Amino acid sequence: FRAGSAPRAIYDNITQTVGRTPVVKINRLAPAGVEVYAKCEFFNPLSSVKDRLALAIIEHAEATGALKPGQTVVEATSGNTGISIAMMCAQRGYPCVIVMAETFSVERRKVMRALGAKVVLTPAAERGSGMVKKAQELAAKHGWFLARQFENEANAAFHQNTTGPEVLLDFATRRLDYWVTGYGTGGTFAGAGAMIKKARPSVKIVLSEPENAALVASGTPQERQADGSPASTHSAWAPHPIQGWTPDFVPLNLQGGLDEKVHDMLVPVSGDEAIATARDLARKEGLFTGISGGATMAAALKVAKDAPAGSVLCAMLPDTAERYLSTPLFAEIEADMNADEVGISKSTPGFHLG
């Protein structure tokens, strides 16, 4: 239980800075009569909630002996988990191989390689389940440690012991009516959601997913291999722009939360809503979060519109917008000066570009 630990000025290594992320009030986007807050997971050292997952998996594997000194760590990821695992491996001295579908943003590949990881790309047509199977092949062939973020019990357990208690501590003397999250592996939802629900049963747990990839809403069971990993693409999945959210299968960690009936509400969000809300958070609140953060906040704002007066909501913002520079989130952002900027430049006589 780390939520109550006081922050320090000096740390022994970078992994000790994971967690204890701030909660920030939404002042201009929230509807009148309610309060909306964001838990900003991009304050983690490598700028995403996945730093928690990576630390949990590596520490658990070391403690149980599943990960041996000098052994290569391999994992399939949309990017953020790979970046976080690469950080953990760099700090501890493990070789790292990340498997990622070619559709995910180029900047994520570069960050992982900058951290010393090898990045193996898989064809877009094979989707997320394809990259998972490739990681399994590599682990079996070479005797590498497979992190298994989608099935690893350490994932949800860490969120239950850190993220959930942090939210409870943040709102210990305050009202809290709704806690809102999306899902990638489902670890945040299953772990933190379960802890919040147990400690404060009146808090409604809101789960969100892409409206065109509504795996949970479909109610269709996921076909699985013996180890719990996906056997095939889920029939309700379709491509969507919310990177890090909703792979083409129902992860086992997510299924655990669903089986425990952690969520009280399920709110769909479109890709356009996610992108628009992420842009609004940047321009109107100064919160620089990615498409997944925009999606989660879009869901929270939908709930807020119909919530009773005085309600208080907290939404998870999983990562930074800097992971999305080559995605549709930045499609309207130009690198060169626009007409307004040229006009500002020409308003004084000197230092004009040619």
Side-chain angles (χ1 to χ4, degrees):
F1 186 96
R2 303 186 179 191
S5 301
R8 293 181 289 170
I10 299 175
Y11 297 87
D12 293 330
N13 65 71
I14 191 63
T15 69
Q16 293 178 348
T17 68
V18 172
R20 308 178 192 91
T21 53
V23 171
V24 178
K25 187 176 183 180
I26 302 301
N27 293 291
R28 298 177 63 192
L29 295 181
V34 300
E35 293 184 8
V36 179
Y37 293 85
K39 187 161 177 62
C40 301
E41 289 297 294
F42 47 80
F43 274 78
N44 279 300
L46 260 292
S47 306
S48 89
V49 67
K50 299 301 186 181
D51 289 353
R52 297 178 186 265
L53 176 158
L55 179 60
I57 289 175
I58 297 300
E59 284 190 339
H60 182 263
E62 289 175 334
T64 60
L67 177 60
K68 306 296 190 296
Q71 188 177 13
T72 296
V73 177
V74 62
E75 180 59 326
T77 170
S78 63
N80 279 333
T81 297
I83 290 169
S84 299
I85 287 178
M87 172 186 68
M88 299 298 165
C89 289
Q91 190 277 318
R92 281 165 156 77
Y94 298 111
C96 180
V97 175
I98 300 299
V99 182
M100 188 167 71
E102 62 179 332
T103 49
F104 297 115
S105 63
V106 172
E107 49 269 31
R108 299 181 185 211
R109 303 178 202 171
K110 291 187 175 182
V111 172
M112 287 184 280
R113 287 173 173 144
L115 288 163
K118 304 293 185 185
V119 180
V120 175
L121 300 178
T122 57
E126 300 296 333
R127 302 172 178 168
S129 53
M131 69 185 188
V132 169
K133 292 174 182 176
K134 181 64 174 179
Q136 291 171 339
E137 286 182 358
L138 290 170
K141 170 72 174 179
H142 300 288
W144 294 343
F145 171 74
L146 180 61
R148 300 177 68 246
Q149 59 168 321
F150 298 103
E151 299 85 38
N152 198 315
E153 293 180 356
N155 177 354
F158 194 82
H159 284 291
Q160 187 165 4
N161 291 325
T162 63
T163 317
E166 284 177 28
V167 172
L168 293 169
L169 186 63
D170 293 334
F171 290 91
T173 60
R174 294 172 175 266
R175 179 173 174 174
L176 180 62
D177 300 286
Y178 302 88
W179 179 75
V180 188
T181 186
Y183 66 86
T185 67
T188 303
F189 159 67
M195 176 57 74
I196 294 168
K197 196 177 190 74
K198 180 179 180 180
R200 295 179 66 167
S202 63
V203 177
K204 290 182 172 59
I205 307 300
V206 182
L207 183 63
S208 188
E209 64 182 353
E211 67 176 12
N212 70 319
L215 277 59
V216 174
S218 75
T220 303
Q222 174 67 52
E223 295 180 358
R224 300 190 186 280
Q225 301 184 74
D227 64 354
S229 62
S232 61
T233 292
H234 194 282
S235 59
W237 189 84
H240 61 84
I242 310 174
Q243 293 192 22
W245 257 30
T246 312
D248 68 313
F249 56 90
V250 176
L252 194 62
N253 271 306
L254 172 64
Q255 189 62 55
L258 297 176
D259 291 344
E260 292 297 321
K261 297 180 170 51
V262 169
H263 71 292
D264 301 287
M265 302 173 63
L266 182 64
V267 179
V269 172
S270 72
D272 288 344
E273 289 172 327
I275 292 170
T277 305
R279 290 172 178 168
D280 283 345
L281 284 168
R283 292 168 177 168
K284 298 179 181 180
E285 301 287 348
L287 291 173
F288 201 54
T289 189
I291 300 175
S292 56
T296 311
M297 184 56 68
L301 294 176
K302 285 183 178 184
V303 174
K305 287 179 182 179
D306 297 323
S311 293
V312 177
L313 301 86
C314 179
M316 302 294 291
L317 301 187
D319 68 358
T320 173
E322 291 183 354
R323 298 277 156 83
Y324 300 82
L325 296 175
S326 63
T327 75
L329 181 59
F330 283 82
E332 298 178 0
I333 308 297
E334 299 293 338
D336 298 324
M337 288 193 295
N338 60 28
D340 287 343
E341 292 162 343
V342 171
I344 293 169
S345 175
K346 290 182 177 180
S347 68
T348 61
F351 310 102
H352 299 160
L353 294 181

